Amino acid sequence: MMARGKRTETRPAVPQRPKQPRQRGLRLGFSWSQVGVDAAVLVVLLGLGVLGFHDTFAGGWRYLVAGFGGIVLGLGLALASAHLRWNVWKTSGAAILVYLVFGFALAAPVEAAAGFLPSLESLIVLVTGPVTAWKDILTVAAPVGINGGMLVAPYLSGLLTALVAGVLAWRVRLPYWTIIPVLVMTAVGILFGTKDAPMALVRGMVLVMASVAWLAWRHHRMRVQGTQADASAETTTVSNPATARRMLWRRLGMGAAVLAVAGLLTSAASPLLLQGQDRKVLRDVVDPPIELFDYPSPLMKFRQYVKDQHEEVLFTVDGLPEGQRVRLAALDAYDGMVYTVNPQSGGNFSPVGDASKLTGTSDTEIPNRSTGTLDISIETYNGVWLPGGGKLSGAELQGPRADQLSQSLYYNDGNETALSTIPLQQGDSYTADVVFPVQVPPEDLEGQDFGEIVMPELTGVPQIVPEKAAELTGNQDQPFAIASGLASTLHESGAFSNGREGEVTSLSGHYAGRVTQLLDAEQWIGDDEQYAVAMSLMARSLDIPTRVVMGFYPENYPEGGGPIQIKGKDVHAWVEVNFENVGWIALDPTPDKDNVPTPPQQEPQSTPKPQVLQPPPPPQEQADLPPDTAPEPQDAEQEERSWWDQWGQLVMIVAYSLIPLIILLIPLIVIAVLKGRRRKRRRAADTPAEQVSGGWSEVLSLATDLGSEPQRSGTRREHAGQLAGTFPAAAAGTTLLARRADQAVFGPGEPSEAQVADYWARVDENLTGMRASVGGWARFRARFSPRSLVLEARSRRRRRRQEKRLQRQATRERQAERRRGDRTAERQTRASRRGDGSRSVRTVDQQARKEQE
């Protein structure tokens, strides 16, 4: 009984580690609630980047479904990859499969059968979209529509960034890498968006504050709970719960203060930093494939409409309100020969993706402007400039060539001008949703300044233009009075004639000589073409922002509305002046048609003088042109330069956008280079034994980078035993390498060159086996892990400190020996001077030996 009592004697209780709840079905080291928080925050952060496409798709819900659908699918793939321990290839394959399966409904609903079923056309869109969608979304005028693979951009960017963000969040120990794909998604939304960023300040503040709070929470979670990303990690907790709570509340308080200060500073500094600056996006520098030099100014055909097509019906328009006009084009550039659309503004004419939404601005956002719908049917009109009534918010093309015209349509929202690369012809028709020009009473324009806009530089302007402008404006100093004064002076003092039969001769054109003839004459004679150009040139000489607009409007509007037949005689040209906070205001400088010129008085016939035969002028030698002015055919090199001129800016934008990524990759590149130099240095050591030892060091370095650092105090065979249990695929090779390294270092002779080469070959095989013992993500981390480099640097630093200590100790011993020798020599010298002879010398030697002992 006594023995049994001793055996059952209770021992002191050992404190047990709190038992952690078992994670069911989740092999991440995180709980389901933690994963849910991570996923929710990532949806919000990545969704802020998706909102950057808002104006690109005119706020339609389809892009939201595509973008957020891609985010949800990407996070689901990342969770499956982390839980099932997929390698890079399995994860990539699953991503491609998910992209195709769900892409029919999310990225190609127009091409898919029934909006979500696979079809050949939708499959082509999904396959080619990752390559072509990015260019198409930049070269098509916003809104770009949802057909043709446009939705591939938000869908694919959301899918990829969410996949990378989820993998980094649930498979990487450091929490801060996760923010990189979030910033990439934000940059994509900015670069592929428009200048009108929706809720830019709010999105920026939410992005910064949510990111900081989430990263701080993840860092606290990993620090306090000890959570690791791989399945083999153990979970520990802080020993003192009260300490943990104090740490948590202290961090929460400091984090809240930091977020509050950051939010206040951001909201206060953003208006100051962004004031007066245009937002730069990629579509501003991408040149669409259109060359305005190929499309002559419509003003050159002004007299053709007047004379040749005077009574011909050009087109029929229905729904034109009384007093409104049908515009062809707004012309803002002059070169001395023709007033035309600025040839350098080709980038402003963007291909139309969705003709039903030509602009992202709603009608209610434009003050003082009325809206309407025009039904236009083309008759004898044949031109590339699309008749419209103002700013086109949408167009529905009809007729047999509707699809062909929709693919050739370009629109310039600033000039409110539409262009089709295929000329319109009889049978074409369309319905246009129009925002008509500003209608502002003259009294409301008094006191308004001119708008500060950039106008193209004019060339070839006659000298008489600025002189006549200064003469006509006089002492006027009010902006509206100056502009309206020019228009009223030309309107009241000029005479109308377009040179038709029975009218006073009036030359056509608006080149510099014709403008000079108009303004220098005693009586001004011309039509809309000359008067509009002359007024615009004079206003531009006074730094007034003006442009010439050509279009049509009838003399009489039908009562109660109804269709209007626009004929050649209805062609007109007028001037638009830009006023600040108002926009473009139309002014008519052309005199009324009944204001005909006064016939010149009959002059008395003069006495003719006898004609004198003049000698012919001397022959002139033909001038030699410089070699560089001779036209030469365009060769291959010029074609290459033209390609760079077209795509060079885009290449530079992409290169600049990659600079942050390159900066982030610099540490990885440096680590890879240092490891390569370390291996080369070990392989080329001074002696064969050191080369073999360097091979074994290569094995230890890889084990350290893979997370299994051997103990520094152990021997090679002890290290091999530890590594054999961690990397079973390379256990036999590791033990053999350890024995051969001991033989090479401690053996009687040096290994041969062939033995060293064979040893390094086995080292490479062993490294491959060690990498095969872990997953793909662990191999990737080990390749760029600085852990072994840091430990070796610390070891070298310890060795240097130890060597310095030994050197200082040896130096002190030498100095002490030198001082003892000096004292011995000094005593011998004193003894010899006293004449004590050999006895004194022996005495000195005995004293010196005693001191040495």
Side-chain angles (χ1 to χ4, degrees):
M1 295 296 294
M2 295 295 293
R4 179 176 299 179
K6 291 183 179 179
R7 284 197 300 268
T8 59
E9 183 179 356
T10 59
R11 297 181 180 180
V14 179
Q16 299 293 329
R17 179 178 297 176
K19 186 176 181 180
Q20 299 296 325
R22 183 180 178 184
Q23 306 294 337
R24 297 182 180 272
L26 190 63
R27 298 167 54 193
L28 303 176
F30 304 121
S31 64
W32 282 111
S33 60
Q34 293 170 346
V35 172
V37 171
D38 292 338
V41 173
L42 287 176
V43 169
V44 173
L45 296 180
L46 296 172
L48 295 174
V50 174
L51 291 178
F53 291 98
H54 182 81
D55 289 337
T56 305
F57 291 91
W61 60 274
R62 282 287 189 180
Y63 91 95
L64 292 175
V65 174
F68 281 91
I71 293 173
V72 173
L73 293 174
L75 292 177
L77 275 175
L79 183 59
S81 175
H83 177 61
L84 300 177
R85 294 297 173 185
W86 289 346
N87 56 24
V88 176
W89 300 110
K90 288 184 179 180
T91 305
S92 301
I96 295 174
L97 181 62
V98 168
Y99 166 78
L100 294 175
V101 170
F102 292 92
F104 297 106
L106 297 179
V110 177
E111 293 80 8
F116 64 95
L117 296 178
S119 65
L120 179 60
E121 187 177 2
S122 60
L123 181 61
I124 294 175
V125 168
L126 291 178
V127 172
T128 60
V131 179
T132 61
W134 310 103
K135 176 185 175 183
D136 294 341
I137 204 171
L138 292 177
T139 57
V140 171
V144 298
I146 61 174
N147 56 349
M150 295 299 179
L151 291 174
V152 171
Y155 171 61
L156 182 60
S157 57
L159 176 65
L160 293 181
T161 53
L163 175 60
V164 176
V167 169
L168 293 176
W170 298 320
R171 299 191 68 172
V172 178
R173 183 178 179 84
L174 294 177
Y176 307 108
W177 290 101
T178 315
I179 206 64
I180 295 178
V182 173
L183 297 179
V184 170
M185 185 68 234
T186 303
V188 170
I190 293 174
L191 295 177
F192 290 90
T194 63
K195 289 184 177 180
D196 300 325
M199 302 178 294
L201 179 59
V202 176
R203 288 167 52 210
M205 292 180 61
V206 173
L207 176 65
V208 173
M209 298 176 70
S211 300
V212 173
W214 178 56
L215 292 178
W217 177 74
R218 282 176 54 85
H219 180 74
H220 169 77
R221 187 180 71 191
M222 289 186 175
R223 182 174 181 178
V224 175
Q225 298 180 350
T227 306
Q228 297 184 0
D230 51 330
S232 61
E234 296 181 356
T235 305
T236 59
T237 58
V238 176
S239 58
N240 191 345
T243 303
R245 285 195 297 270
R246 286 196 300 271
M247 292 170 57
L248 176 60
W249 285 109
R250 184 167 59 251
R251 289 194 178 94
L252 288 176
M254 294 178 63
V258 170
L259 289 178
V261 173
L264 291 176
L265 292 178
T266 303
S267 59
S270 295
L272 299 177
L273 296 176
L274 301 178
Q275 184 177 6
Q277 296 182 1
D278 292 334
R279 188 167 179 257
K280 301 299 182 182
V281 293
L282 283 179
R283 61 176 60 249
D284 294 336
V285 298
V286 176
D287 294 330
I290 183 174
E291 183 58 64
L292 292 180
F293 285 106
D294 299 335
Y295 307 100
S297 170
L299 199 58
M300 297 175 64
K301 297 180 63 176
F302 190 89
R303 284 294 176 92
Q304 178 182 344
Y305 294 126
V306 173
K307 290 187 174 183
D308 300 340
Q309 297 177 290
H310 189 76
E311 294 296 333
E312 292 184 7
V313 178
L314 302 178
F315 55 88
T316 301
V317 56
D318 188 7
L320 184 67
E322 185 175 358
Q324 296 294 348
R325 307 174 180 183
V326 178
R327 301 161 59 96
L328 272 187
L331 316 174
D332 53 2
Y334 186 74
D335 59 1
M337 293 298 297
V338 63
Y339 222 116
T340 184
V341 178
N342 181 18
Q344 305 300 326
S345 66
N348 297 329
F349 282 84
S350 300
V352 174
D354 186 2
S356 63
K357 296 180 180 179
L358 292 179
T359 59
T361 305
S362 63
D363 302 341
T364 57
E365 297 175 358
I366 306 177
N368 303 322
R369 303 188 73 166
S370 58
T371 62
T373 301
L374 301 180
D375 295 323
I376 299 177
S377 300
I378 304 298
E379 299 293 339
T380 61
Y381 174 77
N382 185 6
V384 297
W385 307 97
L386 200 72
K391 180 185 288 291
L392 296 180
S393 58
E396 182 181 353
L397 299 172
Q398 303 163 357
R401 302 196 311 159
D403 294 339
Q404 188 176 3
L405 288 174
S406 63
Q407 297 177 2
S408 63
L409 193 61
Y410 289 77
Y411 185 67
N412 186 337
D413 188 49
N415 278 1
E416 303 176 1
T417 302
L419 169 68
S420 173
T421 57
I422 301 176
L424 299 176
Q425 64 184 22
Q426 188 173 5
D428 296 332
S429 62
Y430 54 93
T431 300
D433 298 327
V434 180
V435 182
F436 294 106
V438 180
Q439 300 290 332
V440 181
E443 56 271 14
D444 294 343
L445 295 175
E446 296 179 359
Q448 294 285 347
D449 292 331
F450 295 119
E452 297 182 358
I453 60 175
V454 179
M455 301 292 295
E457 184 179 356
L458 304 182
T459 59
V461 179
Q463 182 64 33
I464 194 175
V465 168
E467 299 174 357
K468 187 64 67 174
E471 177 185 341
L472 296 181
T473 54
N475 296 326
Q476 293 286 349
D477 56 355
Q478 295 296 324
F480 178 71
I482 296 174
S484 61
L486 286 176
S488 60
T489 301
L490 293 174
H491 181 80
E492 300 296 336
S493 302
F496 182 87
S497 175
N498 50 29
R500 297 183 68 242
E501 185 178 355
E503 297 181 358
V504 176
T505 302
S506 174
L507 298 178
S508 63
H510 52 278
Y511 53 93
R514 180 68 179 91
V515 175
T516 301
Q517 182 187 26
L518 172 71
L519 297 178
D520 197 30
E522 295 182 1
Q523 185 177 23
W524 300 335
I525 302 175
D527 56 13
D528 302 56
E529 180 182 6
Q530 290 81 42
Y531 282 105
V533 172
M535 177 187 168
S536 180
L537 292 179
M538 287 190 293
R540 292 289 299 277
S541 68
L542 300 175
D543 295 331
I544 300 175
T546 62
R547 62 189 184 187
V548 176
V549 181
M550 180 179 171
F552 303 88
Y553 58 87
E555 294 183 1
N556 299 311
Y557 291 82
E559 296 182 2
I564 303 175
Q565 291 183 340
I566 300 296
K567 300 179 180 181
K569 63 181 180 181
D570 298 324
V571 65
H572 292 280
W574 59 93
V575 177
E576 288 186 344
V577 183
N578 189 273
F579 289 92
E580 187 177 5
N581 300 324
V582 177
W584 295 97
I585 300 296
L587 297 176
D588 292 298
T590 305
D592 297 331
K593 290 186 177 181
D594 56 1
N595 190 1
V596 295
T598 303
Q601 297 180 357
Q602 186 72 23
E603 296 181 0
Q605 186 175 3
S606 60
T607 304
K609 296 181 180 180
Q611 297 182 357
V612 180
L613 183 63
Q614 299 293 331
Q620 298 180 357
E621 297 182 359
Q622 186 176 2
D624 295 333
L625 294 176
D628 55 353
T629 61
E632 296 181 357
Q634 189 178 25
D635 52 11
E637 182 180 359
Q638 290 176 331
E639 291 180 358
E640 293 179 359
R641 287 199 299 269
S642 64
W643 181 92
W644 176 256
D645 293 338
Q646 182 178 1
W647 298 102
Q649 291 182 333
L650 177 59
V651 173
M652 295 303 297
I653 287 294
V654 173
Y656 288 141
S657 62
L658 291 177
I659 290 178
L661 180 60
I662 294 175
I663 294 176
L664 293 175
L665 291 178
I666 287 178
L668 304 182
I669 297 174
V670 172
I671 290 172
V673 171
L674 292 177
K675 289 185 177 180
R677 292 183 57 186
R678 180 184 64 185
R679 176 185 172 89
K680 185 177 180 181
R681 184 176 62 253
R682 289 170 174 175
R683 183 64 180 85
D686 296 336
T687 63
E690 292 178 351
Q691 295 176 7
V692 172
S693 178
W696 176 253
S697 299
E698 197 73 14
V699 174
L700 296 183
S701 297
L702 179 59
T704 302
D705 291 333
L706 290 173
S708 177
E709 178 187 357
Q711 297 180 357
R712 292 193 301 269
S713 59
T715 63
R716 290 187 179 91
R717 299 193 180 187
E718 291 175 348
H719 291 167
Q722 297 176 12
L723 299 180
T726 307
F727 307 102
T734 305
T735 305
L736 178 62
L737 290 176
R739 284 202 309 266
R740 293 186 59 178
D742 287 340
Q743 293 175 1
V745 174
F746 302 110
E750 291 284 347
S752 63
E753 184 177 352
Q755 292 175 339
V756 173
D758 179 69
Y759 185 84
W760 272 90
R762 293 183 179 274
V763 167
D764 293 336
E765 295 178 0
N766 195 75
L767 297 180
T768 304
M770 293 172 63
R771 294 189 181 98
S773 301
V774 297
W777 183 249
R779 292 196 296 269
F780 177 80
R781 286 187 299 174
R783 186 179 300 275
F784 300 101
S785 174
R787 190 174 182 181
S788 61
L789 295 174
V790 173
L791 294 178
E792 292 171 7
R794 292 176 180 173
S795 178
R796 287 194 299 269
R797 188 162 58 249
R798 285 194 299 268
R799 287 199 301 267
R800 284 196 296 268
R801 286 199 297 264
Q802 185 177 3
E803 292 175 357
K804 288 181 179 179
R805 285 197 301 268
L806 294 176
Q807 290 176 359
R808 288 195 295 268
Q809 183 178 358
T811 301
R812 288 194 296 268
E813 292 178 354
R814 287 194 299 269
Q815 291 175 353
E817 182 68 24
R818 190 180 304 112
R819 287 194 296 270
R820 286 194 295 269
D822 293 342
R823 287 196 294 270
T824 300
E826 182 179 359
R827 290 169 181 168
Q828 291 178 352
T829 303
R830 288 198 301 267
S832 61
R833 289 177 179 176
R834 288 196 302 266
D836 293 340
S838 58
R839 181 181 178 183
S840 299
V841 174
R842 284 195 303 269
T843 304
V844 172
D845 292 340
Q846 292 175 358
Q847 293 177 356
R849 282 196 298 270
K850 290 181 180 180
E851 292 179 358
Q852 187 175 2
E853 293 175 356

